[in-house]
Amino acid sequence: MIHGLLAAAGDVPPESTQQAVGYPSLFLLVALGSLVPVVPTGAIVSSAAVVAFHQTAPLALLYVFLVAALAALLGDVTLYWLGQRGVRSRNGSRWLAALRGRVTPERLAQAQEKLATHQVSVLVLSRLVPAGRIPVMLACLLAKVPLRRFVRGDLPACLAWAATYQLIGILGGSLFPEPWQGVVAAVGLALLISGAPALWRRVRGEGRGGGSGTEQA
């Protein structure tokens, strides 16, 4: 029985099946993660890159890159469009309120200052900096940046973001012989990169609170 379970666990679907299921799943997860932060999209892209790295199809990595970038762009544009509706409405919208709720006044002020200095080109860096996308997007919304102009800045941002996390996956895939080992390494590195800034801000805030004798909320 144990031998049968091990044999079943070792069975890997053919590449055609992996691609038929993997690419649509990658697109949906990245697009959904761009709209609602329910999945770590960077880790998803890195995992897909590891699997593609171990496949024999010559264009597998290219497909992962294109699918991830397109899904991220679609999610960003949809979220921005929904936010624009809230800006134009007197009563706002739940999407705009959700964006405001995820950005502190200090981070919004920093994003607005960067947007005023570097204009829409700051979008490229906002996608590469962990937790930098929403503050810059909200700053663009409050500045009433047109959707077409936002798309022009967000397109290279999504391409750079997809390339960065794909490189993390390629690195994980090249270091380990088994795909699952590379996936674990790539996901761990992607989560570390995305979570490190938030952890640093929390530690720095607690340190300041301890030094001043006040309790941070």
Side-chain angles (χ1 to χ4, degrees), residues 100-115:
R100 288 181 178 273
R102 293 167 55 189
V103 180
T104 62
E106 293 79 9
R107 297 191 64 198
L108 177 59
Q110 293 174 358
Q112 289 174 323
E113 181 180 355
K114 293 178 181 177
L115 181 64

Side-chain angles (χ1 to χ4, degrees), residues 2 13 33 45 62 120 162 166 169 171 175 179 202 204:
I2 296 177
V45 175
L62 177 61
V120 184
Q166 185 174 42
L171 177 62
L175 291 177
R202 178 174 298 182
R204 186 176 60 178

